Amino acid sequence: MFDYEQYFRREMMPHIWCKGCGNGVILKALLRAIHRLDLSKDQIAMVSGIGCSSRLTGYVDCNTLHTTHGRALAFATGLKLARPEVTVIVITGDGDGLAIGGNHLIHAARRNIDLTCLLFNNQIYGMTGGQVSPTTPEELFSTTSPYGNIEAHFDPCRLVEGAGGTFVARGTAFRTIPLEKLIAEGIQHKGFSFIEILTTCPEIHGRRNKLGTPAEMLQALAKTTLPTGVLRKTSAPEYTEVCEGIIARAQGRG
Amino acid sequence: MRYEIRLSGEGGQGIILAGIILAESVIQDGRNVVQTQVYGPESRGGATKAEVIISDEEIDYPKAGRIDLLLALTQEACDKYWEDLKNTGTLIVDSAEVVAVPSGGFATYRLPILETAREKVGREVVANIVALGTVTAVSGVVSREAIERAVLARVPKGTEEQNVKALTAGFELAAVHVNR
Amino acid sequence: MQGTVRLMQGNQACAHAAIAAGCTFFAGYPITPSSEIAEELARLLPRMGGKFIQMEDEIAAMAACIGASIGGHKVLTATSGPGFSLKQENLGFAVYTEIPCVVVNVMRGGPSTGLPTSPAQGDVMQARWGTHGDHPMVVLAPASVREIYDLTIQAFNLSELCRTPVILLYDEVIGHMREKTEVPDPSQFKIIDRKQSTSSPDAYLPYKGDEDDVPAFVRFGEGYRYHITGLAHDERGFPTQNPRVVEAKQRRLHRKVEQRREEIVAHEAFLLDDAEIAIFAYGVTARSARAAIRTARKEGIRVGLFRPISLWPFPDLELEKLAGQVKAIVVAEMNLGQLIYEVDRVVHGQTRIVAYQKASGEPVHPEEILTAVREHR
């Protein structure tokens, strides 16, 4: 049995996630990935924005930074540049990372800065009560799309690929072993790693749209028609290393 | 005594750089100086001015209001900026660009600054330095050594000779026309 | 050591002073009339081993600064009114999470894009109240190139000392003008670094104020593994809604700045000893006031200048004393009424307040102030 407790902040329990939420499954996969890589908790920083998934940072016993809505990648960029030796993992959601924070996502990808970004895609703004998000499928209902969603939804992976992301992957909260491996591979990748994780919001999104029980919703993830696994893996100069090169040049060393 | 110089032209002519060089030459001469500028929302095109206030006392108000010497390299700049020129002041305009020269009690010099840069020095981009030569010669407000040192300290490497030539041409231009 | 005398631009002085203060990180976004600060630091910082990054927007620049400060760097960002508005949310985050940072706002005409290359003093209240929620704010207002240098260092020192953002607020004229400046030798300044924790990782309470109400800092990655959140938090840094804990934090935030009042609050008094009329002005307007005063004195008018150097905290006590001495205070500002309300609050009817306000995109001319003074002598 994997000892999750070694990574938790017991004083922060119980967590705020609803019963049946997919976030806990992803958190466990993340912790196993960290364990698999034998990373020291002292050397990991987790940075998140605002939303259900972003509450994850509070629960993990490492250096954790819970920032403003949409800005986790921008805070993380400053932190990583300041402390390149720290492993920085960014936790965001579909509203946080693709709507209010979409600009930071494409630029983090473009810079190829060594951050690992996990985007929890549950297709809804859960924390604020179930408003439509950039990944809500067309025609589904939310508190702000009471007649059905009329907007096209984003494919975050293709967005990041277009922005030059060097590691792009998609996993699900249903297949947790492959997810664990994807996260580990993303953390190991030198450069910007983006992992979209399809997850569920049974309590708010599921009930409103009659998507079934939490278990049924998780099982439905397995039937996604979207490609999963590593979708793109290339190499390009990493931003913090390029910066070190600039410093060497400015100081007449390179 | 407070002495106010306003250099004007259009964006891209190096007016602000000329203001900076002039101000740096004043420091070489050991006096107090403040340099400010006004330009449009864009950094290129449109009327531009750089002002240099020279004094032996502390300079409080940093902008020019009662101009002792105005340089105008374009008609637009001249029209826009001449009104603050003192009656006892001096106006230097480019003789080709500024056709409608304002009249007043001030002394006016129409000098072929752009043409000199083009024909004598070989490049119109040094017109700002030719202009600096004329301004220095006409006003006598800084020494020739100081302005030359200031020019050399600011211009890009490899262009020193050309810029000194431009400055000299400016001095000569002033000598010819002012003595006439 | 002696400094050197040279022609220096205001924004350039800010960049050089930041380096002298120990700044090793700048994140910014281009905006007139502040861009020279970014441009200068893009050149200077790598030479010192520091980091420069131009972010994708103003919000990201503020965020990156806070992130780098959490990583242990002294950080700076620079902007103008519209960009300052965009930074406000994250500025509130820095206040609440007590992360030191210095933000420069070079004021231009506005609202909106307004007059990007012209001066104004319209962001005085934005500097104080621009971010959301209840918070203290430290805002310093230089009036010369040399003072930009000195106050940039002071801004870093105060930010590190109080673990709170400090705003350096000046107008386009002060930022863009070049003047003969004695650039001091950096070694003549006392440089303050944020207080480091001496407790063990297990005993560390990241949000427990010491006697000075400021908590000790540990940068990320040093084995202390703590939580920073913009949610209301307890001394451990963990979210809480406990009313007692929430209010205690709020009061400590204010108290840590109030405690340092004497170190922060500053003003200049120019020819005020025998003054019957005082001019209240800051930034470039104070320079015009000084010129007006020199002329007025020659005419036998007993007038002097009260120039706040710290706009926030406001020099209440000092101004109140003056209010009992003069028969009028002329408040000159490049806006249609901002700091005058603060003057009014402090003066509280003790003397007459006369407004001289200008919002044309041009600095106030000394003659204009002189006319106001002559009318109210």
Side-chain angles (χ1 to χ4, degrees):
Chain A
M1 216 8 222
F2 185 81
D3 174 22
Y4 293 104
E5 294 283 328
Q6 63 184 310
Y7 291 103
F8 281 143
R9 288 176 172 144
R10 305 197 80 169
E11 56 272 57
M12 284 290 287
M13 296 298 159
H15 60 70
I16 61 138
W17 294 324
C18 305
K19 278 181 202 162
C21 172
N23 288 353
V25 179
I26 305 171
L27 169 58
K28 284 172 135 185
L30 168 62
L31 297 181
R32 290 195 307 275
I34 286 169
H35 193 75
R36 181 194 276 251
L37 297 174
D38 200 21
L39 295 173
S40 151
K41 292 190 286 186
D42 293 342
Q43 282 305 302
I44 300 170
M46 285 191 195
V47 185
S48 62
I50 296 294
C52 293
S53 55
S54 287
R55 286 300 188 96
L56 180 148
T57 50
Y59 307 133
V60 184
D61 182 25
C62 62
N63 306 275
T64 54
L65 174 58
H66 177 218
T67 70
T68 50
H69 195 22
R71 316 303 169 197
L73 280 167
F75 279 81
T77 296
L79 177 60
K80 182 68 185 179
L81 205 48
R83 301 274 283 147
E85 65 279 22
V86 173
T87 300
V88 181
I89 299 167
V90 175
I91 309 294
T92 185
D94 41 299
D96 193 60
L98 296 172
I100 191 168
N103 195 29
H104 311 309
L105 179 62
I106 58 177
H107 289 278
R110 177 179 64 86
R111 283 188 193 103
N112 197 36
I113 185 162
D114 191 14
L115 306 171
T116 302
C117 176
L118 309 188
L119 186 138
F120 292 37
N121 181 2
N122 65 355
Q123 308 182 337
I124 200 77
Y125 285 82
M127 178 161 280
T128 46
Q131 294 80 15
V132 70
S133 99
T135 59
T136 305
E138 286 81 338
E139 297 183 0
L140 283 200
F141 299 102
S142 73
T143 58
T144 49
S145 59
Y147 304 104
N149 179 23
I150 57 169
E151 297 185 13
H153 67 274
F154 254 133
D155 179 336
C157 290
R158 289 182 59 196
L159 178 72
V160 175
E161 283 176 19
T166 53
F167 182 96
V168 181
R170 181 182 286 119
T172 72
F174 182 74
R175 299 196 188 283
T176 60
I177 304 299
L179 177 62
E180 172 191 331
K181 286 180 185 157
L182 281 182
I183 296 172
E185 195 175 343
I187 294 172
Q188 277 182 305
H189 176 74
K190 191 93 195 149
F192 186 69
S193 317
F194 178 76
I195 304 166
E196 180 196 359
I197 304 164
L198 303 179
T199 184
T200 57
C201 173
E203 186 66 23
I204 291 171
H205 190 48
R207 280 167 62 166
R208 177 166 288 111
N209 288 288
K210 301 191 170 49
L211 300 175
T213 64
E216 285 165 351
M217 285 183 72
L218 277 173
Q219 279 166 341
L221 294 178
K223 297 185 198 119
T224 178
T225 54
L226 293 168
T228 55
V230 176
L231 308 180
R232 183 173 194 232
K233 191 173 181 179
T234 55
S235 73
E238 192 278 320
Y239 189 79
T240 62
E241 286 185 359
V242 174
C243 273
E244 293 301 332
I246 292 292
I247 290 171
R249 253 171 63 194
Q251 294 180 338
R253 291 185 284 114
Chain B
M1 268 297 283
R2 185 178 167 111
Y3 192 86
E4 301 188 350
I5 298 175
R6 179 179 288 167
L7 310 176
S8 69
E10 67 182 20
Q13 279 185 324
I15 294 295
I16 292 172
L17 177 63
I20 294 170
I21 292 172
L22 184 58
E24 285 180 337
S25 73
V26 175
I27 291 178
Q28 301 221 13
D29 272 354
R31 304 176 71 189
N32 287 332
V33 68
V34 170
Q35 182 270 325
T36 63
Q37 62 247 317
V38 164
Y39 52 92
E42 320 81 10
S43 59
R44 291 287 178 274
T48 298
K49 64 173 176 173
E51 295 175 346
V52 179
I53 317 277
I54 301 162
S55 179
D56 292 318
E57 285 145 35
E58 215 176 307
I59 300 167
D60 296 317
Y61 184 63
K63 294 277 183 179
R66 292 170 50 74
I67 310 284
D68 293 283
L69 188 148
L70 171 67
L71 166 83
L73 291 185
T74 64
Q75 187 69 55
E76 187 193 350
C78 189
D79 295 346
K80 201 166 171 183
Y81 299 131
W82 76 272
E83 280 183 2
D84 301 324
L85 185 58
K86 284 182 187 171
N87 258 331
T88 53
T90 306
L91 173 66
I92 302 175
V93 298
D94 182 82
S95 50
E97 286 292 323
V98 184
V99 187
V101 181
S103 55
F106 41 81
T108 301
Y109 300 106
R110 296 180 178 81
L111 307 178
I113 293 168
L114 297 175
E115 187 196 312
T116 302
R118 218 165 32 232
E119 309 294 330
K120 285 213 172 139
V121 193
R123 291 187 70 199
E124 197 170 299
V125 290
V126 295
N128 60 340
I129 306 298
V130 176
L132 266 186
T134 66
V135 166
T136 311
V138 170
S139 67
V141 78
V142 290
S143 64
R144 186 162 178 165
E145 295 70 33
I147 193 79
E148 192 170 320
R149 270 205 305 271
V151 166
L152 288 172
R154 273 281 173 181
V155 298
K157 277 199 172 53
T159 69
E160 292 92 341
E161 203 182 317
Q162 195 172 49
N163 279 289
V164 170
K165 201 172 160 192
L167 190 69
T168 309
F171 270 94
E172 284 167 1
L173 205 54
V176 171
H177 291 260
V178 174
N179 293 339
R180 196 165 57 185
Chain C
M1 263 183 73
Q2 270 293 97
T4 53
V5 175
R6 54 176 284 204
L7 188 74
M8 199 174 220
Q9 190 199 40
N11 283 341
Q12 193 186 15
C14 177
H16 285 256
I19 300 274
C23 172
T24 49
F25 186 95
F26 180 96
Y29 187 81
I31 185 168
T32 305
S34 80
S35 298
E36 294 83 4
I37 299 171
E39 290 165 349
E40 193 74 352
L41 285 170
R43 203 170 56 82
L44 295 177
L45 272 172
R47 289 189 196 165
M48 324 296 296
K51 307 279 171 72
F52 172 92
I53 185 168
Q54 180 174 315
M55 292 299 284
E56 54 272 21
D57 60 34
E58 295 275 6
I59 300 169
M62 189 70 230
C65 279
I66 299 168
S69 188
I70 290 167
H73 287 249
K74 286 189 183 178
V75 301
L76 178 74
T77 186
T79 187
S80 185
F84 193 50
S85 293
L86 287 167
K87 291 186 188 304
Q88 293 295 349
E89 186 193 9
N90 284 337
L91 194 62
F93 182 88
V95 170
Y96 206 33
T97 56
E98 305 183 62
I99 305 302
C101 53
V102 178
V103 179
V104 185
N105 175 359
V106 188
M107 291 181 285
R108 65 192 218 185
S112 192
T113 310
L115 297 163
T117 56
S118 303
Q121 296 179 316
D123 295 344
V124 171
M125 287 298 172
Q126 189 188 192
R128 175 63 188 91
W129 296 113
T131 194
H132 49 279
D134 183 29
H135 57 275
M137 196 52 79
V138 179
V139 181
L140 308 178
S144 70
V145 173
R146 172 58 197 264
E147 199 173 38
I148 288 178
Y149 194 99
D150 294 350
L151 291 187
T152 298
I153 293 178
Q154 172 78 343
F156 273 98
N157 282 348
L158 292 176
S159 184
E160 294 285 315
L161 198 61
C162 299
R163 283 190 61 178
T164 198
V166 174
I167 313 295
L168 197 66
L169 188 69
Y170 52 84
D171 51 84
E172 182 273 343
V173 174
I174 301 295
H176 271 164
M177 74 180 206
R178 294 174 180 82
E179 68 181 332
K180 182 177 165 184
T181 305
E182 193 192 324
V183 185
D185 186 86
S187 67
Q188 78 175 70
F189 290 91
K190 186 181 165 211
I191 301 300
I192 298 169
D193 295 323
R194 64 194 79 164
K195 181 173 59 183
Q196 301 291 317
S197 174
T198 51
S199 63
S200 69
D202 286 341
Y204 180 53
L205 288 170
Y207 288 100
K208 183 177 167 50
D210 292 334
E211 263 176 37
D212 62 354
D213 285 310
V214 179
F217 179 82
V218 182
R219 68 176 183 171
F220 267 17
E222 297 297 323
Y224 283 65
R225 302 201 306 269
Y226 64 101
H227 189 50
I228 298 176
T229 177
L231 283 166
H233 43 268
D234 58 22
E235 290 179 340
R236 299 170 304 171
F238 293 141
T240 181
Q241 294 185 38
N242 179 327
R244 191 183 50 76
V245 177
V246 170
E247 175 137 358
K249 160 94 191 194
Q250 203 65 31
R251 290 189 179 276
R252 182 173 63 72
L253 277 184
H254 284 261
R255 225 167 37 229
K256 69 178 180 178
V257 174
E258 281 156 21
Q259 271 207 41
R260 302 271 181 193
R261 192 187 181 282
E262 281 190 18
E263 281 161 88
I264 302 170
V265 172
H267 79 286
E268 179 200 349
F270 176 66
L271 302 179
L272 275 180
D273 286 347
D274 65 339
E276 291 178 335
I277 299 174
I279 303 167
F280 177 99
Y282 49 94
V284 70
T285 314
R287 296 177 72 117
S288 305
R290 220 180 291 152
I293 289 163
R294 291 189 214 272
T295 310
R297 285 270 167 182
K298 283 179 196 150
E299 295 174 12
I301 305 173
R302 287 190 289 161
V303 55
L305 170 70
F306 186 99
R307 179 172 72 90
I309 294 170
S310 62
L311 302 190
W312 313 101
F314 192 74
D316 296 40
L317 308 175
E318 297 76 4
L319 185 65
E320 198 182 358
K321 212 181 287 171
L322 180 70
Q325 174 198 324
V326 295
K327 58 184 187 188
I329 299 178
V330 177
V331 180
E333 294 185 272
M334 292 177 66
N335 57 54
L336 299 184
Q338 293 206 9
L339 219 46
I340 192 169
Y341 296 115
E342 208 56 16
V343 174
D344 191 37
R345 175 183 68 77
V346 171
V347 168
H348 204 68
Q350 282 187 77
T351 186
R352 195 148 45 105
I353 296 173
V354 178
Y356 191 83
Q357 297 164 343
K358 192 170 182 180
S360 63
E362 305 156 299
V364 177
H365 195 275
E367 282 294 332
E368 299 172 70
I369 297 179
L370 202 52
T371 306
V373 167
R374 285 191 194 119
E375 277 171 19
H376 294 91
R377 62 181 302 185

